[in-house]
Amino acid sequence: MTPATDTLARAGSAGCTDAPIIQERGQREVFCGLTSIVWLHRKMQDAFFLVVGSRTCAHLLQSAAGVMIFAEPRFATAIMEERDLAGLADANEELDRVVARLLERRPDIRALFLVGSCPSEVIKLDLKRAAGRLDRAFAPRVRVFNYSGSGIETTFTEGEDAALAALVPQMPDEAPGAAPSLLVAGTLPDVVEDQFRRLFADMGIARVGFLPAPRLADLPSVGPSTRVLLAQPFLRDTARALEERGASLLSAPLPVGAEGTTRWLQTAATAFLVPRELFQNVTAAGAARAERALLRHRTALAGRRVFLFPDSQMEVPIARFLHRELGMELVEVGTPYLHRTHLAAELALLPEGTRIVEGQDVDRQLDRCRQAAPDLVVCGLGLANPLEAEGMTTKWSIELMFTPIQGYEQAGDLAELFTRPLARRQRLAV
Amino acid sequence: MQLTLWTYEGPPHVGAMRIATAMEGLHYVLHAPQGDTYADLLFTMIERRDRRPPVTYTTFQARDLGGDTAGLFQEACRSAYERFKPEAMIVGASCTAELIQDDPGGLASRLGLPIPVIPLELPAYQKKENWGAGETFYRLVRALARPRETATSIGRPRCNLLGPTALGFRHRDDVMEVTRILAALGVDVNVVAPLGARPSDITRLGDADFNVVLYPEVAEPAARYLEKTFGQPAVRTVPIGVGATRDFIAEVARIAGVSPVLADAASRLPWYSRSVDSTYLTGKRVYVFGDATHALAAARVATSELAFDLVGLGTYSREFGREIRAAAARHGIEALVTDDYLDVEAEISALRPELILGTQMERHIAKRLGIPCAVISAPIHVQDFPARHSPQMGFEGANVLFDTWVHPLMMGLEEHLLHMFRGDFEFNDRTGSHLGKTHMPAAAEAAAAEPVLASPPSQPGPTAWDAVAEQELRKIPFFVRGKARRNTERFALERGITTITLDTLYDAKAHFGR
């Protein structure tokens, strides 16, 4: 049996592996980590996310969740009031009261996350302790976890990282001497998760777990025989927590685009000694379909210049996809945070000399963007319409977190997210 | 702590942003953690503004907390001034920055910027968005407004229009409508503020003879200050509805010393409401909830201009609780003053109105309960910042109200007729409808026909329906069927009737009949 070797990697130069990353500090136009609750709660069906914060936090969730807020979602805010700030003992009693009322009303909840916010962190309300206390009070029916989604500590998707890291201690131990298992970490839309599940099964990788799981009771096990494949780029703390449980991390580009998906799957195949021929057989059809789907978009995008503002840490993988598979030129790739080790395989694939900026000073970045006059700007909703009014074509970035974009079958959809605004601008005659 | 799923109002600094974004040449430096910039997209997306709100955030992070957040704030002020060169600046703290106590006002004044810098105190743990907007506008007026130079007014009477803001429900078009009415009366508009005003315009507020308070939630504190300081009287009738617009005209005429021209022909509402087609509107049971201004106005229009029955009236504006309670009392009902949507939902479920006039939240409650609904107040979503002219105020506003409120009822009637004729041979499920595919599998349809909340959880005591009564119940229009079912079951329970027959159904109807 010949294991599949990574024939795709290490072709050409080392890309941006050792490239300097420009650090920028100043005003940041980004979401805080609380926002990730909006997609996390859809994935974890017996979990409830209770933010302990201010009216601002509740207002943010409402604005980010749009109409979803009216479908009896499993998240809420315990709004701190003047009297909660007066004395800390009071705040704990208040929290217990709110949680008791909540769990009484929602008997279906098995996992309760107490989510820290800027106000609760600044007044040093000890939510970790509160979670421990409530966990003892409601066990075994409900387990209570804690993490911070505050803006002072987390940017947008880092909220998911913090939530998943809080879940890791709850994962069962892998049986001693168990055969190697694969753990895919990072929230993926159900449709994408199912596609990957089928591909791994067809490759003969028998034991595959996904974090997060739809239910608390279904959390996959973890231990020294676990190989972790990151499905998202922003899982710094989760990866560390998994490593502390003995798991080892596989280094791969993210499953974005046809090439990214092949390389990502290949990394798992190599680690699990999947025969090369089998790997080819399993992936060929999907890869070919993805290539076909991308062809049309390549015509529209090749040679166009794209500028990415920082938002979710997806910017580097997306830029790699736009450049290598669609032929776009990268003017600037902004990211709120860059984890060099986790993104090593991605950085190697970026063209040499790419301008990568970590952090933000939004006004200066806007100056650079205007100066460069790119064909397409990937940015948040606070900037998109103002830039359109200035004559630029934009793609709002938050859609990349809410739309299924990973895997072969979604590669064309992902490309279309970028061609659509350009096509629209071309068609409008008013 | 208050358990909140969603909120009718944002925090007070969002109110301040509504003032800053409404104006030109004013910049807001907000001491706030990373992430608070989410509020920008309310303006760029919901209101579709083509510019970023004129707000600079310090966006401090955890690593800044141990260090010099005060320095960070000063640096933000300095660079905002350099970049935007505003005529004036407002500075303040969001909820988190309030806790770290950096004193934005003092820090900014120490910079010695060559423009007025107005500090804002917005207690984020006590107050909310509308209060924040009112307070910010008041602070601006207090800091900038000057008395007029010559003691007496010359030429036509002049007034200020106070209160329209960014993110205001139909503020853009209300201003046009009211300006038109004032022009017809021979009154000029001196300054509209804050919407479209510059700080230099705020200094000219004193030149007017009187003020028009368009939205009391925002304008009242400033109007009271101008009344006291410059002796400017204020017109306080809010011209929403035909009657209120006539009262408004009379009040303006009295204060401005002009003759009240009643441009009656300008509104079609009185005739539309009198036309026989509207007879079926009589006594429709309507529930009203919103900010105090719009709720009060809607209650008056609903009852005296459309002849609806007011079955519920409420507001989330606690500051105006007294006015709302008084209005409710005049209609013989009790007002609901709350910012908890679950209270509103419970009350609506209990009252089972035939029409709900409310906010975006009530629109969703109505959808769940299958009740027709129209939006009369913020908070609102993007579709309520329409491209077309659609004021609420003045005579054209009354036309808009008539169409907007009656439309969902017509739709409700249409749907009812579709259900009624469903049994006809030429109009059944297999034939389909020319209006589109409405076919549903029989089981799903039976489930869908009863709104989920209409049938209460199984009550103690047997209240079975016999087949004939059940059949008859299904002939009742779907939007009142739930209420009929509940009333009949209650009636049966109270009388110890175990099986509901046709007679029970009609006995109950006679008993509860309105």
Side-chain angles (χ1 to χ4, degrees):
Chain A
M1 196 157 75
T2 346
T5 48
D6 193 349
T7 51
L8 294 163
R10 286 180 285 278
S13 75
C16 288
T17 300
D18 301 312
I21 307 294
I22 301 161
Q23 306 285 334
E24 195 168 48
R25 293 205 56 187
Q27 182 184 321
R28 295 167 69 113
E29 183 89 14
V30 288
F31 282 121
C32 67
L34 295 181
T35 320
S36 50
I37 291 172
V38 178
W39 69 81
L40 270 177
H41 90 286
R42 304 297 309 160
K43 189 75 189 175
M44 299 155 78
Q45 294 164 16
D46 58 359
F48 195 101
F49 294 81
L50 180 64
V51 176
V52 182
S54 64
R55 183 166 301 281
T56 310
C57 307
H59 197 234
L60 156 85
L61 281 178
Q62 178 168 323
S63 311
V67 292
M68 200 192 283
I69 201 103
F70 301 99
E72 197 75 38
R74 279 170 286 101
F75 58 83
T77 310
I79 295 185
M80 296 192 290
E81 292 160 321
E82 197 67 30
R83 57 203 181 88
D84 298 308
L85 301 174
L88 290 184
D90 238 354
N92 279 312
E93 277 170 37
E94 281 287 292
L95 186 61
D96 291 0
R97 181 182 61 80
V98 165
V99 167
R101 186 176 163 217
L102 176 73
L103 292 177
E104 201 175 295
R105 276 179 42 164
R106 299 296 302 262
D108 50 324
I109 298 306
R110 295 289 170 268
L112 175 69
F113 289 88
L114 297 183
V115 188
S117 65
C118 299
S120 72
E121 295 295 328
V122 166
I123 65 163
K124 303 217 180 326
L125 183 59
D126 194 343
L127 289 181
K128 202 172 191 66
R129 239 172 102 175
R133 182 178 67 237
L134 289 161
D135 189 58
R136 286 189 294 280
F138 290 98
R141 182 171 77 89
V142 184
R143 305 308 309 268
V144 185
F145 305 92
N146 157 247
Y147 72 90
S148 171
S150 74
I152 57 176
E153 291 154 304
T154 58
T155 304
F156 194 30
T157 49
E158 285 177 322
E160 170 170 341
D161 183 30
L164 298 191
L167 271 183
V168 171
Q170 183 67 25
M171 295 166 75
D173 277 318
E174 189 77 286
S181 66
L182 179 65
L183 177 66
V184 178
T187 299
L188 290 169
D190 289 344
V191 56
V192 177
E193 191 175 307
D194 291 344
Q195 287 165 11
F196 287 152
R197 224 183 260 283
R198 282 197 296 270
L199 288 169
F200 289 131
D202 291 347
M203 282 182 220
I205 303 176
R207 304 178 55 231
V208 183
F210 285 82
L211 178 70
R215 302 189 167 278
L216 190 65
D218 300 333
L219 274 180
S221 52
V222 65
S225 58
T226 309
R227 307 284 174 268
V228 180
L229 197 52
L230 298 180
Q232 299 285 4
F234 42 73
L235 298 175
R236 184 189 58 180
D237 293 349
T238 306
R240 191 186 300 148
L242 289 169
E243 284 178 317
E244 278 165 17
R245 298 277 309 263
S248 50
L249 223 57
L250 302 173
S251 173
L254 286 145
V256 169
E259 182 193 15
T261 303
T262 299
R263 286 174 182 272
W264 187 76
L265 292 169
Q266 173 121 54
T267 304
T270 306
F272 284 79
L273 306 175
V274 175
R276 184 187 180 141
E277 201 174 317
L278 177 59
F279 178 79
Q280 296 285 5
N281 287 345
V282 169
T283 55
R289 269 199 303 274
E291 286 292 348
R292 267 202 308 282
L294 290 174
L295 204 59
R296 179 165 65 90
H297 300 291
R298 195 174 298 140
T299 325
L301 294 175
R304 304 267 199 159
R305 300 165 65 247
V306 62
F307 191 111
L308 296 101
F309 278 77
D311 187 47
S312 64
Q313 297 184 43
M314 281 299 283
E315 295 81 9
V316 169
I318 293 292
R320 181 261 303 159
F321 164 71
L322 292 176
H323 175 69
R324 289 177 63 96
E325 301 193 48
L326 296 165
M328 294 190 85
E329 271 180 50
L330 307 176
V331 178
E332 177 168 324
V333 181
T335 179
Y337 175 79
L338 193 134
H339 195 293
R340 264 197 187 269
T341 320
H342 289 180
L343 283 188
E346 289 285 355
L347 290 171
L349 295 172
L350 279 187
E352 242 173 298
T354 303
R355 183 182 169 84
I356 305 173
V357 179
E358 184 183 16
Q360 186 176 35
D361 181 332
V362 70
D363 284 314
R364 285 202 290 164
Q365 196 165 30
L366 282 166
D367 289 344
R368 289 199 299 276
C369 182
R370 290 181 184 113
Q371 174 106 44
D375 297 303
L376 186 67
V377 182
V378 181
C379 61
L381 290 173
L383 301 179
N385 268 338
L387 287 177
E388 289 278 350
E390 290 182 25
M392 290 190 227
T393 307
T394 63
K395 167 68 222 132
W396 41 286
S397 51
I398 193 172
E399 203 173 3
L400 297 167
M401 291 313 301
F402 289 102
T403 313
I405 58 165
Q406 295 87 353
Y408 289 130
E409 317 305 338
Q410 285 67 237
D413 305 342
L414 174 58
E416 186 169 4
L417 291 181
F418 300 97
T419 48
R420 199 181 300 143
L422 288 162
R424 182 167 185 79
R425 180 164 285 265
Q426 209 163 31
R427 283 176 54 168
L428 292 178
V430 289
Chain B
M1 274 178 205
Q2 187 202 356
L3 185 61
T4 312
L5 184 56
W6 40 250
T7 105
Y8 284 97
E9 291 182 74
H13 74 258
V14 169
M17 285 183 69
R18 285 174 53 194
I19 304 297
T21 307
M23 290 179 62
E24 309 271 340
L26 178 74
H27 202 84
Y28 184 15
V29 179
L30 180 60
H31 206 12
Q34 165 177 277
D36 278 7
T37 52
Y38 81 87
D40 281 359
L41 65 89
L42 303 173
F43 299 93
T44 59
M45 295 305 291
I46 296 181
E47 203 178 1
R48 283 189 231 250
R49 288 201 166 243
D50 61 359
R51 268 172 291 172
R52 297 174 64 211
V55 183
T56 294
Y57 306 78
T58 52
T59 59
F60 57 83
Q61 293 173 265
R63 61 183 173 197
D64 302 317
L65 283 180
D68 186 13
T69 50
L72 195 66
F73 178 78
Q74 286 186 308
E75 186 46 44
C77 287
R78 215 181 339 241
S79 61
Y81 173 72
E82 283 305 320
R83 180 175 284 272
F84 300 104
K85 290 280 165 31
E87 287 178 17
M89 217 184 238
I90 49 179
V91 297
S94 82
C95 50
T96 304
E98 187 182 331
L99 299 172
I100 61 176
Q101 299 178 333
D102 269 340
D103 181 25
L107 289 167
S109 75
R110 250 167 276 153
L111 292 174
L113 297 175
I115 51 166
V117 176
I118 300 141
L120 301 174
E121 292 286 342
L122 304 175
Y125 299 91
Q126 300 166 8
K127 303 289 189 180
K128 290 180 279 190
E129 178 179 331
N130 280 337
W131 185 90
E135 171 72 9
T136 303
F137 187 48
Y138 162 71
R139 289 288 156 194
L140 271 170
V141 169
R142 213 190 135 104
L144 300 175
R146 299 282 163 263
R148 104 169 123 212
E149 280 168 16
T150 51
T152 50
S153 156
I154 32 164
R156 286 163 41 121
R158 279 186 296 177
C159 70
N160 301 312
L161 298 189
L162 303 182
T165 64
L167 269 189
F169 177 61
R170 307 295 166 86
H171 288 192
R172 176 195 71 193
D173 301 341
D174 284 349
V175 167
M176 284 177 66
E177 218 41 49
V178 171
T179 305
R180 195 176 300 168
I181 289 173
L182 291 167
L185 290 170
V187 175
D188 289 335
V189 173
N190 179 48
V191 172
V192 179
L195 192 63
R198 307 186 67 87
S200 50
D201 295 323
I202 303 290
T203 60
R204 301 191 291 111
L205 284 177
D207 294 350
D209 299 300
F210 65 100
N211 291 309
V212 172
V213 176
L214 285 187
Y215 307 100
E217 277 88 348
V218 178
E220 187 52 37
R224 216 176 300 135
Y225 169 80
L226 292 168
E227 206 161 27
K228 214 172 62 190
T229 317
F230 300 157
Q232 287 175 332
V235 171
R236 287 196 164 79
T237 304
V238 177
I240 299 179
V242 173
T245 301
R246 287 177 184 153
D247 293 351
F248 171 82
I249 288 170
E251 193 179 349
V252 169
R254 181 172 53 76
I255 288 179
V258 296
S259 115
V261 187
L262 281 184
D264 270 354
S267 179
R268 296 179 195 94
L269 183 144
W271 166 242
Y272 269 48
S273 213
R274 281 188 160 75
S275 86
V276 292
D277 187 51
S278 298
T279 311
Y280 85 102
L281 299 176
T282 316
K284 283 268 180 223
R285 306 172 70 255
V286 62
Y287 185 87
V288 174
F289 193 89
D291 67 20
T293 301
H294 289 89
L296 287 170
R300 176 171 174 183
V301 174
T303 52
S304 62
E305 298 180 19
L306 290 165
F308 293 151
D309 282 350
L310 190 69
V311 295
L313 176 63
T315 185
Y316 58 83
S317 315
R318 289 190 182 277
E319 294 88 347
F320 293 83
R322 206 159 36 118
E323 287 88 332
I324 285 280
R325 286 196 184 91
R330 283 197 296 279
H331 291 279
I333 53 177
E334 205 177 313
L336 180 67
V337 180
T338 182
D339 54 6
D340 187 341
Y341 88 102
L342 290 172
D343 294 348
V344 180
E345 187 175 64
E347 192 172 71
I348 290 175
S349 302
L351 290 169
R352 283 268 142 195
E354 290 162 276
L355 175 67
I356 299 170
L357 302 175
T359 73
Q360 181 71 5
M361 280 62 163
E362 283 67 46
R363 201 167 67 80
H364 285 271
I365 292 171
K367 201 186 285 173
R368 272 171 58 167
L369 299 176
I371 300 172
C373 176
V375 171
I376 58 156
S377 157
I380 41 182
H381 207 53
V382 61
Q383 71 269 31
D384 277 303
F385 287 97
R388 67 179 184 278
H389 183 61
S390 17
Q392 301 286 289
M393 291 184 179
F395 295 123
E396 180 58 23
N399 295 339
V400 171
L401 294 185
F402 184 91
D403 288 346
T404 312
W405 298 4
V406 172
H407 174 85
L409 288 173
M410 293 294 283
M411 299 305 284
L413 190 69
E414 213 168 277
E415 215 167 309
H416 168 54
L417 292 175
L418 286 176
H419 271 259
M420 252 178 49
F421 296 137
R422 199 181 35 192
D424 289 9
F425 74 95
E426 64 210 329
F427 193 69
N428 59 31
D429 289 346
R430 266 175 301 281
T431 320
S433 158
H434 69 283
L435 295 174
K437 202 117 183 84
T438 53
H439 173 80
M440 285 189 276
E445 188 189 38
E450 279 316 276
V452 182
L453 283 162
S455 36
S458 55
Q459 289 168 345
T463 43
W465 289 68
D466 78 12
V468 182
E470 184 82 49
Q471 194 59 38
E472 195 73 3
L473 179 73
R474 303 200 57 79
K475 294 178 190 166
I476 295 172
F478 72 97
F479 45 85
V480 286
R481 195 183 303 146
K483 185 173 183 188
R485 176 189 286 279
R486 243 177 345 160
N487 281 349
T488 311
E489 285 172 359
R490 179 146 60 102
F491 180 83
L493 200 67
E494 281 165 5
R495 282 156 191 77
I497 299 167
T498 50
T499 305
I500 295 171
T501 63
L502 204 54
D503 282 334
T504 325
L505 177 65
Y506 284 116
D507 285 346
K509 183 172 188 294
H511 178 78
F512 290 108
R514 59 167 218 243

